[in-house]
Amino acid sequence: MLNGRDRQLRQITWDAYSQLSLPDKAPYLNNGRRPYHVLLAQQFDRQTLDELGMLATSIRRIAKSKAGMQFLQDLLCHKRAMLYFTQPSSRTFLSFYAACQIIGLSPAEVRDSATSSEMKGEAPEDTLRTFSSYFDLLVMRTPKPGFAERIAWLLSNTERPVPIINAGSGKDQHPTQALLDIYTLQRSFEHLGGIENKNVVFVGDLGRGRTVRSLSCLLTLYPGVKQYFVAPSELQIGQDVLDQLDAADVDYEVSYDFENVIPETDAIYMTRLQDEWDKGENDATKSDNSQYFLKPEHLDKMKNTAVIMHPLPRRDEIDSRIDVDPRAVYWRQVRNGMWIRVALMASIFGKVADEIFNFYELNM
Ligand code: NCD
């Protein structure tokens, strides 16, 4: 798995790497255009997103038959993956677990660092280095921002580097959620001219929602997309995200009026209050935010072609009566996540992605 790009991560000090801007980190993480470590939304370009979407669709179709599934499960049957999830997760964890099974990777799991030698005072870096010795891929979810990057750098500077996938880090990044959101948008707008020129509104806890931060970045790769950020002022999107949009010359609007934005939008991306980050001092998040909830009476105001998305889990921000509306795609989003994660793992083990495309061309 050692490759040209990864050798560059080997050659840079941690201090120098951590001072780079997010876009400048990208070449250290990718292997040519394909991802090697998957840590940041900023490491993807448009062509890679298109290729991942095509790969996910090929995999989805191949997996429908027993012969197809057998082909897929043979691809990485000689590799093992560790799912290191020390922050609550069942959806993303199981999505990766199922994705591993589809492509033949044997998954193992650590769900609680309290069961490891970290309890004996071992540095988490040492724990991860030990674990990595047994595996060929690490998938990590941690509450610590930047920890997955740190481990990627650390392992790249050992004799046995393995790729790392960030399955959610702190409040900052959730790149694989952004990939599944993009795949869902690609599929939803397939016959409507693609994602280009669509209006996307993010609603809810935008200040602490890592899915919003990552998806907002990927959407900058689609010309003509306008982004709206609708939230109470305490939960509004961070200035760093807006700076990123300014730098990419992307049209956006920060708004406090959900009802007015609804008729304009092609995709409504709802999020829940992320109050697990509260330490009691942020009373604003305890106030009534129901004006930022999507309710059945809003449906008539929405475009017929619009989609309603949510990374899940949801609380009250989408009324469950909306689930039957054909524009509600959040359950489809979940399943898309499994397929795009298979595609991502195939892409990391590059030759495997080519084998899938070849199989698809010959057999489908
Ligand atoms: C999200 C997360 O963990 O950031 N969940 C997920 O992975 N689908 C969103 C959330 O927890 O609200």
Side-chain angles (χ1 to χ4, degrees), residues 208-321:
R208 301 175 293 184
R210 55 193 174 191
T211 66
V212 172
R213 302 173 63 81
S214 290
L215 180 56
S216 168
C217 166
L218 291 192
L219 284 173
T220 64
L221 301 172
Y222 296 83
V225 168
K226 178 168 179 184
Q227 303 187 27
Y228 294 79
F229 301 96
V230 181
S233 52
E234 315 78 43
L235 304 177
Q236 258 302 356
I237 195 74
Q239 188 58 44
D240 59 326
V241 175
L242 299 181
D243 289 347
Q244 216 177 177
L245 299 183
D246 285 332
D249 206 13
V250 165
D251 197 10
Y252 65 83
E253 204 172 302
V254 176
S255 164
Y256 300 90
D257 185 351
F258 186 29
E259 300 245 344
N260 256 339
V261 171
I262 290 174
E264 316 262 313
T265 57
D266 299 292
I268 302 184
Y269 193 96
M270 301 297 298
T271 64
R272 74 175 168 92
L273 186 65
Q274 308 269 320
D275 51 6
E276 67 270 34
W277 301 105
D278 279 346
K279 293 192 180 71
E281 77 275 14
N282 194 353
D283 287 339
T285 62
K286 294 186 184 66
S287 52
D288 176 17
N289 291 321
S290 57
Q291 57 174 307
Y292 301 99
F293 290 180
L294 191 67
K295 304 182 188 103
E297 58 265 33
H298 291 142
L299 293 174
D300 282 346
K301 297 189 180 152
M302 279 174 56
K303 291 185 188 176
N304 287 336
T305 51
V307 291
I308 305 164
M309 300 172 70
H310 195 306
L312 302 178
R314 93 171 132 184
R315 290 186 186 167
D316 304 320
E317 59 280 353
I318 301 183
D319 189 304
S320 60
R321 284 171 291 173

Side-chain angles (χ1 to χ4, degrees), residues 31-35 44-59 179 182-183 186 222 339-340 343-344 346-357:
N31 177 15
R33 268 197 26 262
R34 284 189 173 150
F44 291 94
D45 62 17
R46 176 59 194 277
Q47 211 184 328
T48 310
L49 296 185
D50 290 348
E51 185 180 310
L52 279 171
M54 282 190 295
L55 191 55
T57 293
S58 308
I59 291 165
L179 292 176
I182 287 290
Y183 185 45
Q186 284 172 352
Y222 296 83
W339 298 122
I340 204 77
L344 188 63
S347 200
I348 288 172
F349 296 91
K351 206 166 66 62
V352 170
D354 296 334
E355 283 177 58
I356 293 170
F357 280 132

